[in-house]
Amino acid sequence: MTGDEDSARRVLAERYGLAGQIAGYRAALDREGVSGPEHTAILGDETSVEREIRRLFDAGATELVAMPLGTPARTGTHRRVDGHTHKLKSLCVTLRPPC
């Protein structure tokens, strides 16, 4: 969750942009109509993130893997990162369709 989506996408592009050059991953990105890995992230405030996760489950997703992004300096503290991770896990459990 972030209030600065543009900065978060820039960080993702810097860290993972080369993955877009791997043939199999490039094909998946092309199928999704996105230019790079930074455009596969769910970013935004809590409401936006919840809406996008719900959209994925409504479309048939059965599992979600989340990765917090940011250094302690960018996110505040390790505790805050952990808090966001916990909050996202709770959100996913709430939204996840029954098995």
Side-chain angles (χ1 to χ4, degrees):
M1 291 177 234
T2 181
D4 189 355
E5 292 179 44
D6 292 337
S7 291
R9 288 199 197 283
R10 277 192 298 278
V11 169
L12 287 168
E14 290 168 8
R15 287 187 187 171
Y16 305 107
L18 290 177
Q21 296 176 16
I22 299 169
Y25 196 58
R26 177 75 260 153
L29 293 171
D30 290 344
R31 278 192 305 274
E32 293 300 316
V34 297
S35 60
E38 69 275 17
H39 298 290
T40 64
I42 297 174
L43 301 170
D45 62 18
E46 186 174 347
T47 302
S48 306
V49 169
E50 180 178 353
R51 181 180 55 246
E52 288 303 305
I53 291 171
R54 187 176 303 281
R55 184 182 64 77
L56 292 173
F57 286 138
D58 288 347
T62 59
E63 187 172 290
L64 174 70
V65 176
M67 179 180 62
L69 172 69
T71 64
R74 284 185 54 116
T75 59
T77 66
H78 284 292
R79 184 178 184 137
R80 184 169 175 206
V81 171
D82 290 342
H84 280 244
T85 301
H86 176 72
K87 190 173 206 174
L88 185 57
K89 283 181 184 174
S90 297
L91 182 64
C92 291
V93 168
T94 301
L95 295 174
R96 187 175 189 177
C99 297

